[in-house]
Amino acid sequence: MTTNSELWNKDKKLDRQQILKQYFGYDAFREGQEYLIDSILKGRDVLGIMPTGAGKSICYQVPALMMEGITLVVSPLISLMKDQVEGLNQAGVHAAYLNSSLTPGQYRKALSYAREGRYPIIYVAPERLVTPDFLDFALNATISMVAVDEAHCVSQWGQDFRPSYLKIVDFIQRLACRPVVAAFTATATKEVKEDIIDILLLQDPALVTTGFDRKNLYFGVMAPKDRYGAIKNYLECHPGDSGIIYCLTRKTVEEVWEKLKGEGFPVARYHAGLGDEERKSNQEDFIYDKKPLMVATNAFGMGIDKSNVRFVLHYGMPKNLEAYYQEAGRAGRDGQPGECILLYSGQDVVTNQFFIENNQENLELDPMARKTVMERDRERLRKMAFYCFTNECLRDYILRYFGEYGGNYCGNCSNCLSQFENVDVTESAKAIIGCVESSHQRYGTNVVIDTLHGADTAKIRNYRMNENPFYGTLAKVPVHKLRQIVNFLLLNEYLMVTNDEYAVVRLTEKSALVSGQEVQITMKMAKEQERPAKTGGGRKRESGPGLQGMLSEGDGVLFEKLRQLRLEIARVEKVPPYIVFSDKTLTHMCSVKPKTKAEMLKVSGVGEYKFEKYGERFLQCVREG
Ligand code: ADP
Ligand code: ZN
């Protein structure tokens, strides 16, 4: 019997690196990808917890092309499946999806091709898995892997629980031979993670958790007097880029959309008040870059996988940071610079409070539970509002909210770029190190900080730290700053913390440099004074460097030409432009300026198959410059 992988990959036994290059056009794996792929290839279950845009799909697509037999990918959203399958087909991989968007005829045909072993990868909706038709196919095929995308949908803890996801386990148990089970999600809480392992019955899974940080995204907050003016100014400064403008209410969507349309911007709208047909076609206009701008409520975006969204502007503050980070995170999925800017006004808090008090979804809850939920929501809103007021690094604020520790300075958010200054902290550093030394390196960071600050607590008295020579010497430095300085010293190895449950602060070889006169310690810190009111007037750039900003003027012109060519091809092929080549690939092309096929194949995202299809046309475009 010829298995499907022989059928389509018969003359070449490629290794994972070659597959990555040949089909996806990439030179190197990203963090975590290799480990997950190798584990799968060894037959081990895996769980990948990676933020949006980290590249989860590659983790199952690459091994799928190397294993005997078929990989089934369970995915909750029809639009996502379609997008993934189009992407694979464009890359020269035969893939299909089986879901309710197919007519019965199309479904039967796809299944019969599947039986012939034409597809190494098949996307399937969870509710299809245990239907007689599908089982009849699956029980007679070699299923080597079941990849579960958005695996948090099995958990009732998450926001997106889908009962149909529970069918995955039933399905796997019916198969004569247990396939590798590979689960992926971007939701990182402990409960969800444990649920995924328990419910999907993962066997000793190889686990990869990459951080939540999206380094390519710039975060900004503005409080312009004229919000519409600020949005318009932003769009004028970013012509041709694709972006989303989120509004809090349908009414605002209508107003903003109407005005922008009137000014000639290529803009679509989306909210739950529009009919199915219109929503669908507006969404397509956006995805296919017919209208690269979208004004929408939070109803828009679930399952939108458009990789070339360059910015997400919020015309108003969302109700919590979970929602904000999810919506903002739709920018820059291709790893290229993206910008997330929140334009807030004091009124937003009131609007959100109204939403919370009148939440229809909570009506079924008993009064006690309802009260708890409401309190939790108010607390979340409060933290969201703080995000708009803080002078600290915005990225750090977000990461801390999600339970991660970032540095206190990222250099790529509106606060870091405007609210930070270099501060000489040598004196404080000396006192901190002196305190650690004089207390014989016996205590953790909290005791050290409390001592320096001169706290009068039972603990400090018990440890007799109130008698320490450094007690109260930094009483004037606010505790949060002291903590930042201690973190800075730890990060730069002037101090260390033991790796046991006591987490005691110890000196290092470098500590002596500070207590001697050898080094001066400076670090970035948030300025103390009030944030000056930012206004959105004038045609100035209120944003980070952005994608275009990274190209020289000449390259910017070439980028536009390549983008135009991509659009023409996409129209003919009837696929979204970013499926032809991502923005990242186009920018890379602008800097490499390939003259030959070999040079073109070096561009990230250009594989053999895509070169055959479009390579010459893009080469021609680059040559003409
Ligand atoms: P996720 O599912 O984790 O949100 P995707 O799988 O959609 O992310 O990948 C995001 C983008 O990153 C895609 O455009 C994908 O082609 C690209 N990508 C994935 N892996 C790599 C890699 N190793 N090198 C370069 N780009 C990659
Ligand atoms: Zn920052």
Side-chain angles (χ1 to χ4, degrees), residues 393-394 410-411 413 416:
C393 169
L394 294 174
C410 78
C413 75
C416 282

Side-chain angles (χ1 to χ4, degrees), residues 54-113:
K56 291 185 276 295
S57 341
I58 294 273
C59 299
Y60 57 81
Q61 288 168 350
V62 168
L65 300 183
M66 299 172 70
M67 289 157 65
E68 301 280 314
I70 297 167
T71 288
L72 296 177
V73 184
V74 183
S75 174
L77 295 160
I78 291 175
S79 56
L80 258 172
M81 287 193 208
K82 184 160 172 260
D83 212 66
Q84 294 268 345
V85 167
E86 271 175 358
L88 285 169
N89 288 334
Q90 283 290 319
V93 176
H94 294 285
Y97 55 82
L98 301 172
N99 60 35
S100 59
S101 74
L102 301 180
T103 63
Q106 289 171 324
Y107 186 75
R108 268 197 305 278
K109 193 160 155 203
L111 261 187
S112 79
Y113 283 165

Side-chain angles (χ1 to χ4, degrees), residues 251-324:
K251 187 165 156 264
T252 328
V253 169
E254 289 297 331
E255 284 166 14
V256 173
W257 173 74
E258 195 72 51
K259 278 200 216 164
L260 289 175
K261 194 167 61 115
E263 314 226 30
F265 288 103
V267 58
R269 66 177 165 165
Y270 193 103
H271 58 69
L274 302 172
D276 281 351
E277 275 307 307
E278 177 169 8
R279 267 187 306 178
K280 188 156 170 260
S281 89
N282 293 356
Q283 176 169 321
E284 300 226 318
D285 284 351
F286 174 68
I287 288 181
Y288 288 79
D289 278 342
K290 271 188 219 146
K291 292 180 182 160
L293 301 174
M294 172 62 92
V295 183
T297 60
N298 62 5
F300 178 71
M302 197 34 181
I304 299 295
D305 204 12
K306 189 173 198 282
S307 80
N308 67 329
V309 174
R310 295 270 64 90
F311 56 83
V312 173
L313 308 182
H314 274 78
Y315 192 98
M317 181 187 79
K319 64 179 188 297
N320 55 44
L321 265 169
E322 283 91 342
Y324 180 64

Side-chain angles (χ1 to χ4, degrees), residues 392-396 408-416 420:
E392 309 277 318
C393 169
L394 294 174
R395 182 184 316 275
D396 195 37
N408 89 98
Y409 175 83
C410 78
N412 190 24
C413 75
S414 56
N415 283 355
C416 282
F420 277 63

Side-chain angles (χ1 to χ4, degrees), residues 299-583:
F300 178 71
M302 197 34 181
I304 299 295
D305 204 12
K306 189 173 198 282
S307 80
N308 67 329
V309 174
R310 295 270 64 90
F311 56 83
V312 173
L313 308 182
H314 274 78
Y315 192 98
M317 181 187 79
K319 64 179 188 297
N320 55 44
L321 265 169
E322 283 91 342
Y324 180 64
Y325 202 51
Q326 186 177 51
E327 286 158 20
R330 297 196 169 114
R333 290 189 54 123
D334 51 11
Q336 288 294 91
E339 302 194 335
C340 313
I341 300 175
L342 171 47
L343 298 100
Y344 83 100
S345 95
Q347 185 60 30
D348 298 341
V349 176
V350 183
T351 311
N352 276 302
Q353 246 151 11
F354 178 83
F355 287 152
I356 292 174
E357 313 300 325
N358 297 282
N359 190 341
Q360 298 298 319
E361 287 162 29
N362 293 344
L363 290 179
E364 292 155 25
L365 298 176
D366 68 69
M368 272 292 281
R370 199 158 165 230
K371 195 159 160 261
T372 320
V373 169
M374 240 187 224
E375 263 158 31
R376 191 195 62 195
D377 287 350
R378 281 198 204 104
E379 177 59 20
R380 286 178 170 172
L381 175 60
R382 215 166 55 85
K383 293 202 169 129
M384 181 75 243
F386 274 173
Y387 176 80
C388 299
F389 293 115
T390 181
N391 274 341
E392 309 277 318
C393 169
L394 294 174
R395 182 184 316 275
D396 195 37
Y397 187 95
I398 295 173
L399 292 178
R400 267 186 286 135
Y401 182 84
F402 289 112
E404 276 185 29
Y405 289 93
N408 89 98
Y409 175 83
C410 78
N412 190 24
C413 75
S414 56
N415 283 355
C416 282
L417 293 178
S418 68
Q419 305 288 317
F420 277 63
E421 57 193 356
N422 258 326
V423 181
D424 184 337
V425 294
T426 315
E427 286 312 308
S428 302
K430 275 188 189 165
I432 293 168
I433 287 171
C435 179
V436 172
E437 196 170 14
S438 60
S439 57
H440 309 289
Q441 311 181 47
R442 261 189 310 208
Y443 302 111
T445 47
N446 289 336
V447 171
V448 172
I449 289 170
D450 283 353
T451 302
L452 289 158
H453 198 66
D456 184 21
T457 64
K459 198 171 186 181
I460 291 295
R461 285 193 301 271
N462 280 346
Y463 293 159
R464 300 180 65 173
M465 286 301 274
N466 49 349
E467 295 166 21
N468 184 283
F470 291 90
Y471 180 74
T473 49
L474 296 181
K476 289 214 178 92
V477 186
V479 172
H480 74 276
K481 295 231 153 161
L482 276 178
R483 192 169 293 284
Q484 281 173 12
I485 302 172
V486 170
N487 283 343
F488 182 84
L489 295 176
L490 291 172
L491 271 174
N492 290 281
E493 295 175 348
Y494 291 108
L495 287 174
M496 58 165 287
V497 170
T498 57
N499 202 7
D500 53 28
E501 61 180 306
Y502 304 108
V504 170
V505 189
R506 292 265 161 85
L507 300 178
T508 67
E509 279 174 19
K510 283 171 78 181
S511 306
L513 297 177
V514 183
S515 21
Q517 300 295 328
E518 284 137 86
V519 290
Q520 189 195 11
I521 309 249
T522 56
M523 62 178 282
K524 292 271 189 189
M525 282 193 142
K527 287 182 193 162
E528 272 308 305
Q529 75 267 33
E530 283 290 286
R531 165 210 283 291
K534 291 179 185 168
T535 53
R539 267 186 61 106
K540 59 178 190 282
R541 279 182 74 93
E542 277 276 8
S543 60
L547 179 59
Q548 301 282 314
M550 310 231 324
L551 298 168
S552 72
E553 209 170 296
D555 287 355
V557 174
L558 177 58
F559 182 82
E560 266 321 306
K561 286 187 182 160
L562 295 174
R563 181 148 74 174
Q564 206 49 45
L565 173 59
R566 174 177 76 173
L567 191 62
E568 283 164 25
I569 293 176
R571 296 259 154 94
V572 176
E573 303 253 330
K574 297 199 169 49
V575 294
Y578 61 90
I579 294 276
V580 175
F581 281 133
S582 69
D583 276 9

